[in-house]
Amino acid sequence: MNAAFDDVLDYVNGLEIVDTHEHLPASESKRPQDTDVLREYLTHYFNRDLISAGLSKKEFAQATDAALPIADRWRIVEPYWEAARATGYGQCLDLAAQGLYGIPKICAESIEELDDAFQKSLAPGHYRYVLKEKSRIHVSLVDSDLDCDREFFRSVYRLDSFVYPSCHNDLAGIERRTGLRIRRFDDWLEACETDLAAALDKGAVALKSGLAYVRSLQYARATRHEAEEEFNRFIATVHREAWLSLPIEASRKFQDYMMHFVLHLADRHGLTFQFHTGLQEGNGNVIANSDPTLLSNLFIEYPGVKFDIFHIGYPYQQAVSVLAKTFPNVFIDMCWAHIISPPACVDALAEWLEVVPVNKISAFGGDFCFVDGVYGHQVLARRDVSKALARKVEEGLFDAARAKEIAEMVFVTNPRRLFGLGRKR
């Protein structure tokens, strides 16, 4: 590596950073205990690369079967693991093994030793070790869980069940949470406001939508009458107990109206709104549904709402450049992206530094459901950002001192301001 990169990375590695997005168990006591390193590390992300490489469903089930010896399970996944090791997902796990357990590489020779070390990590204190001591994360924003450990987390809340109720059990859950009996559309809207108010009382700092997994991000205008007609259709059978597990399939008009209603509430409360855009986790989906440009009408109609655009919109990162440059209320979030494609993150940030105001970029969100992955991800993120900044130092766009200022902005200052997190402790 060159001197500029080494200098910037050394500074970046010393930063106590803000993590804009996690799916971790929101307190260490909620961390699964009946597990092992292979089962946990294949919970999500890298398992998708293994399946893409050819791992069958039967083989995956065997590889995560705790009744089988871990060495035997490793032999099942090994050829696919080797095929995918160099992906961002694969790099992240090797980095976790190296940095947290002193294991140079996850392989047949190390898997049992790694699992022994992992089993010891299930004792209390691993969250503090990983998130604070090793990853130097000041605070992480955790998705949806309001009962989070505030030593580590602040919560981000979803109102997606009001926009896209998937089954009658969703409605029953809303009634339980809000204490309201829902019979009329007015009740539904009141429940939405009540649910949000309770979340804010419990410390939620922002809202999030993940509906790009199940529908297009194009939310057109719909009338209250259209939404109410649809509500009256599916509410008619909601209180029949035998129907609780049946799907609702609310119409597009209903969904569109409710997203606009939720954004109205976000505007009223001054809340930043995180939107999943770009790649959907899993093995197969309609990527065009999550094109961030589909949100443009919302950016225009709700200028008071700050929109945090997740995952650099990958593979639409150049479109995100245009959106963040054009709209004052659009911000770029690099959560998840460093393990999706490290080179895309380096190139995108290098472009944004000459296209987008630098106060609109947040550099890191681990987006993991298991804590070890967060460590590996932040190592990659610090490297990627340092590479992009060092490139600009070498090109003469700014000097090393300015590169370090920008690094602190994207890792600390920008997300802290965007989510109202206040001053560092």
Side-chain angles (χ1 to χ4, degrees):
M1 293 295 181
N2 59 52
F5 171 77
D6 291 340
D7 182 33
V8 174
L9 180 62
D10 183 63
Y11 179 81
V12 168
N13 281 339
L15 291 174
E16 187 181 28
I17 64 178
V18 173
D19 175 349
T20 62
H21 184 53
E22 292 295 351
H23 291 280
L24 296 173
S27 66
E28 191 166 25
S29 63
K30 299 177 182 178
R31 187 183 177 206
Q33 296 292 299
D34 182 21
T35 188
D36 57 58
V37 74
L38 206 52
R39 292 177 71 191
E40 181 140 314
Y41 281 18
L42 295 182
T43 303
H44 68 168
Y45 292 151
F46 193 52
N47 64 354
R48 306 304 183 176
D49 280 349
L50 301 187
I51 292 167
S52 181
L55 182 72
S56 69
K57 291 182 179 179
K58 179 181 178 181
E59 289 171 321
F60 178 72
Q62 293 171 330
T64 53
D65 183 354
L68 301 176
I70 198 166
D72 293 344
R73 290 152 53 202
W74 171 261
R75 283 191 285 272
I76 294 170
V77 301
E78 184 175 26
Y80 311 106
W81 196 295
E82 293 303 329
R85 184 184 295 277
T87 68
Y89 296 163
Q91 291 182 53
C92 181
L93 297 185
D94 270 337
L95 288 168
Q98 294 161 16
L100 299 178
Y101 304 109
I103 304 293
K105 178 182 179 182
I106 304 173
C107 60
E109 291 73 26
S110 68
I111 191 65
E112 292 178 316
E113 181 186 357
L114 176 60
D115 189 50
D116 287 342
F118 174 82
Q119 293 300 327
K120 295 181 177 68
S121 83
L122 297 175
H126 193 60
Y127 263 30
R128 187 172 296 108
Y129 172 66
V130 175
L131 298 176
K132 297 296 186 183
E133 296 176 29
K134 298 294 291 184
S135 300
R136 294 185 57 78
I137 295 172
H138 169 59
V139 68
S140 301
L141 302 188
V142 67
D143 193 321
S144 300
D145 196 330
L146 297 170
D147 297 318
C148 60
D149 184 341
R150 290 177 68 86
E151 178 184 359
F152 306 107
F153 304 113
R154 300 294 183 272
S155 58
V156 171
Y157 198 58
R158 296 197 197 199
L159 294 170
D160 284 351
S161 58
F162 289 95
V163 178
Y164 192 97
S166 59
C167 68
H168 289 62
N169 269 320
D170 285 352
L171 278 69
I174 289 168
E175 288 189 329
R176 286 193 298 271
R177 289 200 308 273
T178 62
L180 297 172
R181 191 69 163 166
I182 298 171
R183 287 288 185 271
R184 303 171 304 138
F185 190 51
D186 283 341
D187 300 333
W188 184 252
L189 300 180
E190 181 185 356
C192 186
E193 295 191 59
T194 300
D195 201 32
L196 174 58
L200 297 177
D201 285 345
K202 290 185 176 181
V205 298
L207 291 174
K208 184 206 169 181
S209 175
L211 292 178
Y213 278 86
V214 293
R215 59 151 288 161
S216 166
L217 286 174
Q218 177 69 61
Y219 290 94
R221 275 284 178 181
T223 66
R224 178 191 167 100
H225 176 71
E226 290 169 324
E228 188 168 12
E229 276 196 329
E230 174 63 9
F231 173 84
N232 289 335
R233 181 191 67 79
F234 67 69
I235 200 67
T237 56
V238 71
H239 298 292
R240 298 180 190 175
E241 186 173 351
W243 288 51
L244 288 179
S245 61
L246 295 181
I248 286 177
E249 299 180 356
S251 71
R252 182 62 63 89
K253 292 288 188 181
F254 176 86
Q255 297 168 30
D256 290 351
Y257 181 89
M258 287 306 304
M259 179 55 78
H260 282 265
F261 182 78
V262 168
L263 285 166
H264 167 72
L265 296 180
D267 196 7
R268 181 194 300 172
H269 291 280
L271 295 171
T272 296
F273 206 118
Q274 300 179 326
F275 266 96
H276 176 99
T277 71
L279 180 70
Q280 300 107 333
E281 201 274 335
N283 289 101
N285 208 319
V286 182
I287 187 64
N289 282 345
S290 58
D291 181 344
T293 61
L294 296 173
L295 294 166
S296 295
N297 65 308
L298 302 184
F299 304 152
I300 294 168
E301 294 183 53
Y302 300 94
V305 176
K306 294 178 179 177
F307 292 86
D308 188 40
I309 304 304
F310 266 18
H311 318 315
I312 71 173
Y314 183 85
Y316 301 105
Q317 59 267 33
Q318 285 194 311
V320 170
S321 301
V322 175
L323 296 173
K325 185 177 186 67
T326 304
F327 294 102
N329 58 335
V330 173
F331 297 78
I332 299 171
D333 200 315
M334 301 184 77
C335 64
W336 189 21
H338 299 281
I339 55 172
I340 295 173
S341 175
C345 285
V346 176
D347 291 341
L349 181 56
E351 176 179 331
W352 296 332
L353 291 170
E354 299 192 52
V355 177
V356 178
V358 74
N359 64 345
K360 304 190 78 180
I361 303 166
S362 294
F364 175 69
D367 207 352
F368 262 102
C369 67
F370 61 91
V371 69
D372 287 5
V374 179
Y375 171 80
H377 195 168
Q378 61 83 34
V379 171
L380 283 173
R382 292 179 196 258
R383 289 181 186 175
D384 290 349
V385 171
S386 299
K387 286 178 183 178
L389 290 169
R391 183 188 300 180
K392 296 306 171 183
V393 171
E394 291 176 335
E395 293 172 356
L397 183 64
F398 42 67
D399 62 16
R402 179 56 179 164
K404 294 170 185 177
E405 290 175 357
I406 293 171
E408 184 158 8
M409 290 178 71
V410 299
F411 275 115
V412 186
T413 312
N414 293 349
R416 190 186 300 159
R417 181 185 300 114
L418 184 60
F419 298 104
L421 299 174
R423 297 182 61 82
K424 188 170 75 171
R425 287 196 301 260

